[in-house]
Short mmCIF file of all heavy atoms in Angstrom, two decimals:
data_model
loop_
_atom_site.label_atom_id
_atom_site.label_comp_id
_atom_site.label_asym_id
_atom_site.label_seq_id
_atom_site.Cartn_x
_atom_site.Cartn_y
_atom_site.Cartn_z
N MET A 8 -2.97 16.60 -7.10
CA MET A 8 -2.44 15.19 -7.16
C MET A 8 -3.52 14.30 -7.69
O MET A 8 -4.69 14.43 -7.31
CB MET A 8 -2.08 14.88 -5.69
CG MET A 8 -1.63 13.43 -5.52
SD MET A 8 -0.92 13.13 -3.90
CE MET A 8 -1.62 14.37 -2.84
N LYS A 9 -3.12 13.40 -8.51
CA LYS A 9 -4.01 12.39 -9.16
C LYS A 9 -3.38 11.05 -9.23
O LYS A 9 -2.25 10.87 -9.23
CB LYS A 9 -4.43 12.82 -10.54
CG LYS A 9 -5.17 14.17 -10.65
CD LYS A 9 -5.50 14.39 -12.07
CE LYS A 9 -6.20 15.71 -12.19
NZ LYS A 9 -7.66 15.75 -11.92
N ILE A 10 -4.34 10.07 -9.25
CA ILE A 10 -3.76 8.67 -9.44
C ILE A 10 -3.48 8.53 -10.96
O ILE A 10 -4.40 8.81 -11.78
CB ILE A 10 -4.95 7.60 -9.09
CG1 ILE A 10 -5.07 7.64 -7.53
CG2 ILE A 10 -4.43 6.25 -9.55
CD1 ILE A 10 -6.13 6.81 -7.04
N VAL A 11 -2.23 8.11 -11.27
CA VAL A 11 -1.69 7.91 -12.60
C VAL A 11 -1.96 6.56 -13.05
O VAL A 11 -2.47 6.32 -14.32
CB VAL A 11 -0.26 8.33 -12.64
CG1 VAL A 11 0.29 8.00 -14.02
CG2 VAL A 11 0.03 9.76 -12.30
N ARG A 12 -1.75 5.60 -12.20
CA ARG A 12 -1.78 4.19 -12.66
C ARG A 12 -1.86 3.32 -11.44
O ARG A 12 -1.34 3.58 -10.32
CB ARG A 12 -0.76 3.66 -13.65
CG ARG A 12 0.66 3.70 -12.97
CD ARG A 12 1.71 3.26 -13.92
NE ARG A 12 3.05 3.27 -13.32
CZ ARG A 12 3.81 2.24 -13.37
NH1 ARG A 12 3.43 1.11 -13.92
NH2 ARG A 12 4.93 2.32 -12.70
N ARG A 13 -2.38 2.03 -11.60
CA ARG A 13 -2.34 1.01 -10.62
C ARG A 13 -0.95 0.40 -10.71
O ARG A 13 -0.38 0.21 -11.77
CB ARG A 13 -3.39 -0.07 -10.85
CG ARG A 13 -3.30 -1.35 -10.02
CD ARG A 13 -4.36 -2.35 -10.27
NE ARG A 13 -5.53 -2.01 -9.44
CZ ARG A 13 -6.74 -1.67 -9.98
NH1 ARG A 13 -6.86 -1.53 -11.28
NH2 ARG A 13 -7.64 -1.31 -9.16
N ILE A 14 -0.47 -0.04 -9.62
CA ILE A 14 0.78 -0.83 -9.57
C ILE A 14 0.42 -2.24 -9.29
O ILE A 14 -0.09 -2.47 -8.22
CB ILE A 14 1.82 -0.21 -8.51
CG1 ILE A 14 2.12 1.29 -8.65
CG2 ILE A 14 3.01 -1.05 -8.41
CD1 ILE A 14 2.82 1.57 -9.93
N GLY A 15 0.71 -3.12 -10.28
CA GLY A 15 0.32 -4.53 -10.12
C GLY A 15 -1.03 -4.78 -10.82
O GLY A 15 -1.43 -3.99 -11.65
N VAL A 16 -1.64 -5.80 -10.36
CA VAL A 16 -2.80 -6.27 -11.05
C VAL A 16 -4.04 -5.89 -10.19
O VAL A 16 -3.92 -5.63 -9.02
CB VAL A 16 -2.81 -7.83 -11.21
CG1 VAL A 16 -1.70 -8.24 -12.13
CG2 VAL A 16 -2.78 -8.66 -9.91
N PRO A 17 -5.25 -5.75 -10.88
CA PRO A 17 -6.43 -5.42 -10.10
C PRO A 17 -6.87 -6.52 -9.08
O PRO A 17 -6.48 -7.61 -9.30
CB PRO A 17 -7.45 -5.20 -11.15
CG PRO A 17 -6.94 -5.91 -12.32
CD PRO A 17 -5.39 -5.98 -12.25
N PRO A 18 -7.58 -6.06 -8.09
CA PRO A 18 -8.11 -7.09 -7.11
C PRO A 18 -8.78 -8.33 -7.72
O PRO A 18 -8.52 -9.43 -7.22
CB PRO A 18 -9.04 -6.31 -6.14
CG PRO A 18 -8.60 -4.91 -6.31
CD PRO A 18 -8.07 -4.72 -7.79
N SER A 19 -9.49 -8.10 -8.79
CA SER A 19 -10.19 -9.28 -9.48
C SER A 19 -9.15 -10.32 -9.97
O SER A 19 -9.51 -11.43 -9.98
CB SER A 19 -11.08 -8.74 -10.62
OG SER A 19 -10.29 -8.08 -11.54
N ALA A 20 -8.00 -9.86 -10.31
CA ALA A 20 -6.95 -10.78 -10.78
C ALA A 20 -6.22 -11.48 -9.64
O ALA A 20 -5.44 -12.39 -9.82
CB ALA A 20 -5.95 -10.09 -11.62
N ARG A 21 -6.51 -11.03 -8.41
CA ARG A 21 -6.03 -11.65 -7.21
C ARG A 21 -6.98 -12.43 -6.38
O ARG A 21 -6.79 -12.78 -5.31
CB ARG A 21 -5.37 -10.54 -6.34
CG ARG A 21 -4.08 -10.04 -6.91
CD ARG A 21 -3.39 -9.01 -6.00
NE ARG A 21 -3.97 -7.60 -6.32
CZ ARG A 21 -4.62 -6.91 -5.49
NH1 ARG A 21 -4.85 -7.28 -4.23
NH2 ARG A 21 -5.03 -5.72 -5.83
N GLY A 22 -8.17 -12.69 -7.07
CA GLY A 22 -9.11 -13.56 -6.44
C GLY A 22 -10.26 -12.85 -5.73
O GLY A 22 -11.10 -13.51 -5.14
N SER A 23 -10.37 -11.50 -5.86
CA SER A 23 -11.44 -10.87 -5.21
C SER A 23 -12.79 -11.10 -5.95
O SER A 23 -12.85 -10.86 -7.20
CB SER A 23 -11.27 -9.29 -5.11
OG SER A 23 -12.39 -8.65 -4.72
N ALA A 24 -13.72 -11.68 -5.29
CA ALA A 24 -14.98 -11.99 -5.95
C ALA A 24 -15.64 -10.80 -6.56
O ALA A 24 -16.25 -10.87 -7.71
CB ALA A 24 -15.87 -12.80 -5.00
N SER A 25 -15.68 -9.71 -5.83
CA SER A 25 -16.32 -8.52 -6.22
C SER A 25 -15.36 -7.59 -7.02
O SER A 25 -15.94 -6.61 -7.54
CB SER A 25 -16.94 -7.83 -5.10
OG SER A 25 -15.96 -7.26 -4.25
N GLY A 26 -14.12 -7.76 -6.93
CA GLY A 26 -13.11 -6.84 -7.48
C GLY A 26 -12.93 -5.65 -6.72
O GLY A 26 -12.36 -4.66 -7.27
N ALA A 27 -13.48 -5.55 -5.56
CA ALA A 27 -13.44 -4.27 -4.70
C ALA A 27 -12.96 -4.72 -3.29
O ALA A 27 -12.87 -5.82 -2.90
CB ALA A 27 -14.82 -3.67 -4.70
N ASN A 28 -12.79 -3.65 -2.52
CA ASN A 28 -12.48 -3.87 -1.06
C ASN A 28 -11.28 -4.67 -0.83
O ASN A 28 -11.23 -5.54 0.03
CB ASN A 28 -13.72 -4.29 -0.30
CG ASN A 28 -14.88 -3.44 -0.39
OD1 ASN A 28 -14.72 -2.22 -0.40
ND2 ASN A 28 -16.08 -3.95 -0.49
N CYS A 29 -10.25 -4.48 -1.69
CA CYS A 29 -9.06 -5.30 -1.52
C CYS A 29 -7.79 -4.37 -1.40
O CYS A 29 -7.86 -3.24 -1.99
CB CYS A 29 -8.84 -6.23 -2.58
SG CYS A 29 -10.01 -7.64 -2.59
N PRO A 30 -6.68 -4.82 -0.82
CA PRO A 30 -5.48 -4.01 -0.92
C PRO A 30 -5.15 -3.59 -2.34
O PRO A 30 -5.42 -4.37 -3.24
CB PRO A 30 -4.43 -4.84 -0.34
CG PRO A 30 -5.13 -5.92 0.43
CD PRO A 30 -6.44 -6.11 -0.24
N ASP A 31 -4.63 -2.45 -2.51
CA ASP A 31 -4.23 -1.95 -3.89
C ASP A 31 -3.18 -0.88 -3.75
O ASP A 31 -3.00 -0.28 -2.70
CB ASP A 31 -5.45 -1.31 -4.49
CG ASP A 31 -5.57 -1.74 -5.93
OD1 ASP A 31 -4.65 -2.07 -6.67
OD2 ASP A 31 -6.83 -1.72 -6.42
N LEU A 32 -2.37 -0.76 -4.78
CA LEU A 32 -1.22 0.16 -4.84
C LEU A 32 -1.38 1.09 -6.07
O LEU A 32 -1.82 0.56 -7.16
CB LEU A 32 0.09 -0.53 -4.98
CG LEU A 32 0.38 -1.47 -3.86
CD1 LEU A 32 1.64 -2.38 -4.28
CD2 LEU A 32 0.70 -0.77 -2.55
N PHE A 33 -1.13 2.33 -5.94
CA PHE A 33 -1.25 3.32 -7.02
C PHE A 33 -0.07 4.29 -7.10
O PHE A 33 0.39 4.69 -6.06
CB PHE A 33 -2.53 4.14 -6.97
CG PHE A 33 -3.79 3.38 -6.87
CD1 PHE A 33 -4.41 2.86 -5.62
CD2 PHE A 33 -4.44 2.89 -8.12
CE1 PHE A 33 -5.49 2.17 -5.59
CE2 PHE A 33 -5.56 2.04 -7.96
CZ PHE A 33 -6.08 1.66 -6.82
N GLU A 34 0.36 4.62 -8.32
CA GLU A 34 1.31 5.64 -8.47
C GLU A 34 0.55 6.98 -8.71
O GLU A 34 -0.47 6.99 -9.40
CB GLU A 34 2.22 5.37 -9.78
CG GLU A 34 3.33 6.33 -9.85
CD GLU A 34 4.33 5.99 -10.97
OE1 GLU A 34 4.15 4.94 -11.69
OE2 GLU A 34 5.36 6.69 -11.10
N LEU A 35 1.12 8.00 -7.99
CA LEU A 35 0.46 9.36 -8.11
C LEU A 35 1.14 10.26 -9.06
O LEU A 35 2.37 10.05 -9.40
CB LEU A 35 0.38 9.96 -6.66
CG LEU A 35 -0.31 9.13 -5.63
CD1 LEU A 35 -0.10 9.75 -4.26
CD2 LEU A 35 -1.72 8.82 -5.96
N SER A 36 0.43 11.30 -9.37
CA SER A 36 1.08 12.26 -10.40
C SER A 36 2.28 13.01 -9.80
O SER A 36 3.15 13.49 -10.61
CB SER A 36 -0.02 13.26 -10.76
OG SER A 36 -0.57 13.97 -9.67
N ASP A 37 2.46 13.02 -8.58
CA ASP A 37 3.61 13.69 -7.98
C ASP A 37 4.87 12.71 -7.82
O ASP A 37 5.83 13.01 -7.26
CB ASP A 37 3.36 14.37 -6.77
CG ASP A 37 2.94 13.47 -5.62
OD1 ASP A 37 2.91 12.26 -5.73
OD2 ASP A 37 2.71 13.95 -4.49
N GLY A 38 4.66 11.40 -8.26
CA GLY A 38 5.65 10.40 -8.16
C GLY A 38 5.52 9.63 -6.83
O GLY A 38 6.37 8.63 -6.81
N ASN A 39 4.71 9.94 -5.93
CA ASN A 39 4.55 9.21 -4.71
C ASN A 39 3.64 8.00 -4.93
O ASN A 39 3.06 7.89 -6.15
CB ASN A 39 4.11 10.07 -3.61
CG ASN A 39 5.04 10.96 -3.03
OD1 ASN A 39 6.24 10.47 -2.80
ND2 ASN A 39 4.80 12.21 -2.82
N PHE A 40 3.37 7.22 -4.05
CA PHE A 40 2.52 5.98 -4.13
C PHE A 40 1.44 6.16 -3.07
O PHE A 40 1.68 6.63 -1.95
CB PHE A 40 3.24 4.78 -3.95
CG PHE A 40 4.34 4.54 -5.05
CD1 PHE A 40 5.58 5.07 -4.95
CD2 PHE A 40 3.91 3.88 -6.23
CE1 PHE A 40 6.49 4.87 -5.96
CE2 PHE A 40 4.90 3.83 -7.31
CZ PHE A 40 6.14 4.22 -7.07
N ALA A 41 0.28 5.63 -3.46
CA ALA A 41 -0.85 5.52 -2.45
C ALA A 41 -1.15 4.05 -2.29
O ALA A 41 -1.03 3.25 -3.16
CB ALA A 41 -2.11 6.17 -2.96
N VAL A 42 -1.52 3.72 -0.98
CA VAL A 42 -1.81 2.35 -0.57
C VAL A 42 -3.22 2.25 0.00
O VAL A 42 -3.49 2.98 0.81
CB VAL A 42 -0.76 1.83 0.41
CG1 VAL A 42 -1.06 0.45 0.88
CG2 VAL A 42 0.69 1.99 -0.12
N ILE A 43 -3.96 1.22 -0.47
CA ILE A 43 -5.15 0.77 0.22
C ILE A 43 -4.84 -0.50 0.97
O ILE A 43 -4.38 -1.45 0.31
CB ILE A 43 -6.23 0.59 -0.76
CG1 ILE A 43 -6.65 1.81 -1.54
CG2 ILE A 43 -7.51 -0.01 -0.04
CD1 ILE A 43 -7.73 1.64 -2.67
N GLY A 44 -4.95 -0.44 2.30
CA GLY A 44 -4.67 -1.64 3.06
C GLY A 44 -5.52 -1.59 4.28
O GLY A 44 -6.26 -0.67 4.53
N THR A 45 -5.31 -2.61 5.09
CA THR A 45 -6.01 -2.77 6.38
C THR A 45 -5.28 -1.88 7.39
O THR A 45 -4.13 -2.02 7.71
CB THR A 45 -5.98 -4.27 6.82
OG1 THR A 45 -6.57 -4.97 5.85
CG2 THR A 45 -6.81 -4.38 8.22
N GLU A 46 -6.09 -0.99 8.05
CA GLU A 46 -5.45 -0.18 9.17
C GLU A 46 -5.07 -0.97 10.26
O GLU A 46 -5.83 -1.77 10.80
CB GLU A 46 -6.51 0.87 9.53
CG GLU A 46 -6.00 2.15 10.08
CD GLU A 46 -5.40 2.12 11.48
OE1 GLU A 46 -5.87 1.29 12.26
OE2 GLU A 46 -4.48 2.82 11.67
N ALA A 47 -3.85 -0.77 10.73
CA ALA A 47 -3.29 -1.66 11.78
C ALA A 47 -2.36 -0.88 12.68
O ALA A 47 -1.55 -1.44 13.39
CB ALA A 47 -2.49 -2.81 11.19
N THR A 48 -2.58 0.42 12.86
CA THR A 48 -1.76 1.34 13.60
C THR A 48 -1.73 0.92 15.15
O THR A 48 -0.66 0.72 15.70
CB THR A 48 -2.11 2.81 13.51
OG1 THR A 48 -2.14 3.17 12.06
CG2 THR A 48 -1.23 3.70 14.32
N ALA A 49 -2.87 0.76 15.65
CA ALA A 49 -2.94 0.39 17.06
C ALA A 49 -2.23 -0.95 17.29
O ALA A 49 -1.51 -1.17 18.43
CB ALA A 49 -4.36 0.33 17.61
N ALA A 50 -2.36 -1.91 16.43
CA ALA A 50 -1.90 -3.22 16.70
C ALA A 50 -0.36 -3.31 16.42
O ALA A 50 0.29 -4.13 17.06
CB ALA A 50 -2.54 -4.18 15.70
N LEU A 51 0.20 -2.47 15.59
CA LEU A 51 1.62 -2.60 15.22
C LEU A 51 2.55 -1.44 15.67
O LEU A 51 3.73 -1.65 15.61
CB LEU A 51 1.64 -2.67 13.69
CG LEU A 51 1.14 -3.98 13.07
CD1 LEU A 51 1.19 -3.93 11.64
CD2 LEU A 51 1.81 -5.24 13.60
N GLU A 52 2.03 -0.37 16.11
CA GLU A 52 2.84 0.77 16.54
C GLU A 52 3.79 0.35 17.57
O GLU A 52 5.08 0.82 17.52
CB GLU A 52 1.98 1.96 17.02
CG GLU A 52 2.76 3.21 17.21
CD GLU A 52 1.89 4.41 17.37
OE1 GLU A 52 0.80 4.28 17.88
OE2 GLU A 52 2.36 5.41 16.90
N ARG A 53 3.51 -0.43 18.51
CA ARG A 53 4.43 -0.79 19.54
C ARG A 53 5.46 -1.82 19.07
O ARG A 53 6.55 -2.07 19.74
CB ARG A 53 3.65 -1.53 20.75
CG ARG A 53 2.91 -0.46 21.64
CD ARG A 53 1.99 -1.05 22.68
NE ARG A 53 0.70 -1.15 22.05
CZ ARG A 53 0.03 -2.10 21.90
NH1 ARG A 53 0.44 -3.41 22.19
NH2 ARG A 53 -1.20 -2.15 21.39
N GLU A 54 5.24 -2.39 17.93
CA GLU A 54 6.21 -3.39 17.25
C GLU A 54 7.28 -2.63 16.45
O GLU A 54 8.13 -3.27 15.96
CB GLU A 54 5.41 -4.34 16.42
CG GLU A 54 4.34 -5.09 17.20
CD GLU A 54 5.07 -6.06 18.16
OE1 GLU A 54 6.12 -6.63 17.99
OE2 GLU A 54 4.42 -6.21 19.35
N LEU A 55 7.14 -1.31 16.21
CA LEU A 55 8.04 -0.62 15.29
C LEU A 55 9.50 -0.70 15.94
O LEU A 55 9.61 -0.61 17.14
CB LEU A 55 7.63 0.80 15.16
CG LEU A 55 6.39 1.14 14.35
CD1 LEU A 55 6.09 2.57 14.33
CD2 LEU A 55 6.67 0.69 12.85
N PRO A 56 10.52 -0.78 15.05
CA PRO A 56 11.79 -0.82 15.70
C PRO A 56 12.13 0.58 16.32
O PRO A 56 11.52 1.53 15.83
CB PRO A 56 12.71 -1.14 14.45
CG PRO A 56 11.82 -1.12 13.23
CD PRO A 56 10.45 -1.05 13.66
N ALA A 57 13.16 0.59 17.07
CA ALA A 57 13.53 1.83 17.79
C ALA A 57 13.87 3.07 16.79
O ALA A 57 13.62 4.13 17.21
CB ALA A 57 14.66 1.64 18.68
N ASP A 58 14.33 2.76 15.66
CA ASP A 58 14.66 3.74 14.69
C ASP A 58 13.50 4.15 13.74
O ASP A 58 13.77 4.85 12.72
CB ASP A 58 15.98 3.49 14.00
CG ASP A 58 15.81 2.21 13.09
OD1 ASP A 58 14.79 1.51 13.23
OD2 ASP A 58 16.69 1.97 12.28
N ALA A 59 12.33 3.68 14.01
CA ALA A 59 11.12 3.98 13.14
C ALA A 59 9.99 4.67 14.04
O ALA A 59 9.95 4.36 15.21
CB ALA A 59 10.59 2.66 12.60
N SER A 60 9.34 5.50 13.37
CA SER A 60 8.21 6.20 14.10
C SER A 60 7.26 6.66 13.00
O SER A 60 7.50 6.66 11.81
CB SER A 60 8.79 7.32 14.92
OG SER A 60 9.29 8.32 14.13
N ARG A 61 6.19 7.19 13.36
CA ARG A 61 5.17 7.69 12.51
C ARG A 61 4.69 9.13 13.05
O ARG A 61 4.54 9.31 14.29
CB ARG A 61 4.02 6.79 12.35
CG ARG A 61 3.13 6.64 13.52
CD ARG A 61 1.87 5.80 13.29
NE ARG A 61 1.01 5.92 14.46
CZ ARG A 61 0.13 6.85 14.66
NH1 ARG A 61 -0.06 7.89 13.88
NH2 ARG A 61 -0.59 6.85 15.77
N ALA A 62 4.30 9.93 12.13
CA ALA A 62 3.73 11.29 12.53
C ALA A 62 2.25 10.92 12.84
O ALA A 62 1.68 9.95 12.49
CB ALA A 62 3.79 12.22 11.33
N GLU A 63 1.67 11.88 13.55
CA GLU A 63 0.31 11.76 13.96
C GLU A 63 -0.66 11.57 12.85
O GLU A 63 -1.67 10.91 12.91
CB GLU A 63 -0.16 12.99 14.88
CG GLU A 63 -1.58 12.98 15.36
CD GLU A 63 -1.78 11.75 16.34
OE1 GLU A 63 -0.92 11.42 17.06
OE2 GLU A 63 -2.97 11.31 16.32
N TYR A 64 -0.38 12.13 11.77
CA TYR A 64 -1.22 12.07 10.56
C TYR A 64 -0.92 10.74 9.71
O TYR A 64 -1.72 10.47 8.77
CB TYR A 64 -1.04 13.27 9.67
CG TYR A 64 0.28 13.59 9.11
CD1 TYR A 64 0.89 12.88 8.02
CD2 TYR A 64 1.12 14.37 9.87
CE1 TYR A 64 2.16 13.17 7.61
CE2 TYR A 64 2.49 14.57 9.43
CZ TYR A 64 2.96 13.98 8.31
OH TYR A 64 4.19 14.19 7.88
N GLU A 65 -0.01 9.98 10.07
CA GLU A 65 0.34 8.71 9.37
C GLU A 65 -0.29 7.49 10.01
O GLU A 65 -0.48 7.55 11.23
CB GLU A 65 1.95 8.55 9.33
CG GLU A 65 2.53 9.61 8.61
CD GLU A 65 4.10 9.54 8.59
OE1 GLU A 65 4.63 9.17 9.77
OE2 GLU A 65 4.79 9.70 7.60
N ARG A 66 -0.55 6.54 9.27
CA ARG A 66 -1.15 5.23 9.69
C ARG A 66 -0.29 4.16 9.23
O ARG A 66 0.34 4.18 8.16
CB ARG A 66 -2.55 5.03 9.22
CG ARG A 66 -3.50 6.11 9.63
CD ARG A 66 -3.75 6.14 11.13
NE ARG A 66 -4.58 7.22 11.61
CZ ARG A 66 -4.11 8.38 12.23
NH1 ARG A 66 -2.79 8.50 12.38
NH2 ARG A 66 -4.90 9.30 12.60
N ILE A 67 -0.26 3.08 9.94
CA ILE A 67 0.37 1.85 9.55
C ILE A 67 -0.71 1.00 8.87
O ILE A 67 -1.82 0.73 9.49
CB ILE A 67 0.94 1.08 10.72
CG1 ILE A 67 2.02 1.97 11.46
CG2 ILE A 67 1.55 -0.29 10.29
CD1 ILE A 67 2.48 1.36 12.80
N VAL A 68 -0.49 0.49 7.62
CA VAL A 68 -1.45 -0.28 6.92
C VAL A 68 -0.79 -1.63 6.56
O VAL A 68 0.34 -1.72 6.33
CB VAL A 68 -2.06 0.44 5.72
CG1 VAL A 68 -2.86 1.56 6.15
CG2 VAL A 68 -1.05 0.68 4.77
N ILE A 69 -1.63 -2.62 6.44
CA ILE A 69 -1.16 -3.94 6.02
C ILE A 69 -1.56 -4.14 4.61
O ILE A 69 -2.75 -3.91 4.18
CB ILE A 69 -1.75 -5.05 6.86
CG1 ILE A 69 -1.18 -4.98 8.28
CG2 ILE A 69 -1.44 -6.43 6.31
CD1 ILE A 69 -1.88 -5.80 9.29
N VAL A 70 -0.71 -4.56 3.74
CA VAL A 70 -1.01 -4.88 2.35
C VAL A 70 -0.59 -6.37 2.13
O VAL A 70 0.50 -6.77 2.60
CB VAL A 70 -0.16 -4.05 1.38
CG1 VAL A 70 -0.48 -4.39 -0.05
CG2 VAL A 70 -0.51 -2.56 1.53
N SER A 71 -1.50 -7.08 1.61
CA SER A 71 -1.17 -8.62 1.58
C SER A 71 0.14 -8.83 0.74
O SER A 71 0.45 -8.06 -0.10
CB SER A 71 -2.40 -9.37 0.86
OG SER A 71 -2.38 -8.94 -0.50
N ARG A 72 0.76 -9.92 1.08
CA ARG A 72 1.95 -10.31 0.45
C ARG A 72 1.70 -10.54 -1.05
O ARG A 72 2.52 -10.08 -1.90
CB ARG A 72 2.47 -11.68 1.01
CG ARG A 72 3.75 -12.22 0.34
CD ARG A 72 4.16 -13.54 0.93
NE ARG A 72 5.32 -14.01 0.47
CZ ARG A 72 6.60 -13.71 0.73
NH1 ARG A 72 6.79 -12.66 1.67
NH2 ARG A 72 7.67 -14.23 0.11
N GLU A 73 0.59 -11.08 -1.42
CA GLU A 73 0.29 -11.26 -2.90
C GLU A 73 0.18 -10.00 -3.62
O GLU A 73 0.64 -9.86 -4.79
CB GLU A 73 -0.97 -12.16 -3.10
CG GLU A 73 -1.28 -12.40 -4.51
CD GLU A 73 -2.56 -13.17 -4.74
OE1 GLU A 73 -3.27 -13.40 -3.82
OE2 GLU A 73 -2.81 -13.47 -5.88
N THR A 74 -0.47 -9.10 -3.05
CA THR A 74 -0.56 -7.66 -3.67
C THR A 74 0.79 -7.07 -3.97
O THR A 74 1.01 -6.62 -5.05
CB THR A 74 -1.34 -6.72 -2.74
OG1 THR A 74 -2.67 -7.32 -2.44
CG2 THR A 74 -1.58 -5.36 -3.33
N LEU A 75 1.63 -7.09 -2.92
CA LEU A 75 2.92 -6.50 -3.12
C LEU A 75 3.88 -7.26 -4.18
O LEU A 75 4.43 -6.68 -5.01
CB LEU A 75 3.68 -6.35 -1.83
CG LEU A 75 4.82 -5.45 -1.80
CD1 LEU A 75 4.40 -4.05 -2.29
CD2 LEU A 75 5.40 -5.33 -0.38
N ILE A 76 3.81 -8.61 -4.11
CA ILE A 76 4.60 -9.40 -5.07
C ILE A 76 4.12 -9.24 -6.46
O ILE A 76 4.83 -9.14 -7.34
CB ILE A 76 4.48 -10.91 -4.64
CG1 ILE A 76 5.46 -11.00 -3.34
CG2 ILE A 76 5.09 -11.80 -5.71
CD1 ILE A 76 5.27 -12.48 -2.66
N ARG A 77 2.78 -9.15 -6.58
CA ARG A 77 2.23 -8.96 -7.97
C ARG A 77 2.54 -7.58 -8.54
O ARG A 77 2.32 -7.38 -9.65
CB ARG A 77 0.71 -9.39 -8.03
CG ARG A 77 0.43 -10.78 -7.48
CD ARG A 77 0.22 -11.85 -8.41
NE ARG A 77 -0.48 -11.67 -9.70
CZ ARG A 77 -1.65 -12.16 -9.98
NH1 ARG A 77 -2.31 -12.87 -9.01
NH2 ARG A 77 -2.18 -12.03 -11.12
N ALA A 78 2.77 -6.69 -7.62
CA ALA A 78 3.06 -5.29 -8.08
C ALA A 78 4.58 -5.10 -8.30
O ALA A 78 4.89 -4.15 -8.98
CB ALA A 78 2.63 -4.33 -6.94
N LYS A 79 5.39 -5.94 -7.88
CA LYS A 79 6.83 -5.84 -7.98
C LYS A 79 7.26 -5.41 -9.38
O LYS A 79 8.13 -4.51 -9.54
CB LYS A 79 7.54 -7.06 -7.54
CG LYS A 79 9.02 -7.00 -7.43
CD LYS A 79 9.68 -8.21 -6.90
CE LYS A 79 11.14 -8.23 -6.97
NZ LYS A 79 11.81 -9.40 -6.53
N ALA A 80 6.76 -6.03 -10.37
CA ALA A 80 7.27 -5.82 -11.75
C ALA A 80 6.90 -4.44 -12.18
O ALA A 80 7.53 -3.89 -13.18
CB ALA A 80 6.62 -6.87 -12.69
N ASP A 81 5.92 -3.73 -11.66
CA ASP A 81 5.46 -2.45 -12.03
C ASP A 81 6.06 -1.37 -11.26
O ASP A 81 5.89 -0.16 -11.61
CB ASP A 81 3.87 -2.37 -11.86
CG ASP A 81 3.13 -3.15 -12.94
OD1 ASP A 81 3.74 -3.55 -13.92
OD2 ASP A 81 1.96 -3.40 -12.73
N ILE A 82 6.86 -1.59 -10.21
CA ILE A 82 7.45 -0.60 -9.36
C ILE A 82 8.71 -0.12 -10.16
O ILE A 82 9.61 -0.91 -10.40
CB ILE A 82 7.78 -1.08 -7.93
CG1 ILE A 82 6.40 -1.51 -7.34
CG2 ILE A 82 8.48 -0.16 -7.10
CD1 ILE A 82 6.57 -2.22 -5.93
N PRO A 83 8.87 1.16 -10.32
CA PRO A 83 9.99 1.74 -11.06
C PRO A 83 11.22 1.54 -10.18
O PRO A 83 11.29 1.48 -8.93
CB PRO A 83 9.64 3.13 -11.16
CG PRO A 83 8.23 3.37 -10.84
CD PRO A 83 7.86 2.18 -10.02
N ASP A 84 12.42 1.30 -10.91
CA ASP A 84 13.66 1.13 -10.22
C ASP A 84 14.21 2.48 -9.73
O ASP A 84 15.01 2.53 -8.79
CB ASP A 84 14.70 0.55 -11.23
CG ASP A 84 14.41 -0.87 -11.61
OD1 ASP A 84 13.86 -1.61 -10.65
OD2 ASP A 84 14.73 -1.32 -12.60
N ALA A 85 13.81 3.59 -10.25
CA ALA A 85 14.24 4.90 -9.86
C ALA A 85 13.08 5.85 -10.00
O ALA A 85 12.09 5.71 -10.63
CB ALA A 85 15.43 5.33 -10.63
#
């Protein structure tokens, strides 16, 4: 599995002074997506709706609203 492309704009285009250590989205060679975000499993797990859960190996991450909105145009429809 490899990163194929960034989804959205780089952190520097979203105001990151160093261009690093910011939320980011990537499309992978297998068609899935990878997310860099703030780990928030402990804070949000109890907030999940009754019909949602996570596996032990999964984490809840926060991606900023701006990151996701700026990525919207690059997310494939299918």
Side-chain angles (χ1 to χ4, degrees):
M8 172 173 25
K9 295 184 183 274
I10 292 175
V11 174
R12 68 182 179 124
R13 171 180 276 115
I14 303 297
V16 298
S19 59
R21 289 182 270 120
S23 172
S25 67
N28 299 325
C29 289
D31 226 333
L32 304 168
F33 301 96
E34 186 171 1
L35 303 176
S36 58
D37 66 0
N39 286 316
F40 296 90
V42 176
I43 297 173
T45 303
E46 207 285 329
T48 304
L51 293 176
E52 188 164 35
R53 286 174 263 119
E54 300 295 323
L55 290 173
D58 61 349
S60 64
R61 67 169 189 89
E63 183 59 32
Y64 58 86
E65 295 174 321
R66 299 293 175 260
I67 300 170
V68 298
I69 297 171
V70 176
S71 72
R72 179 179 180 84
E73 182 181 6
T74 300
L75 198 54
I76 288 172
R77 304 263 320 249
K79 184 178 177 182
D81 291 343
I82 298 173
D84 290 330

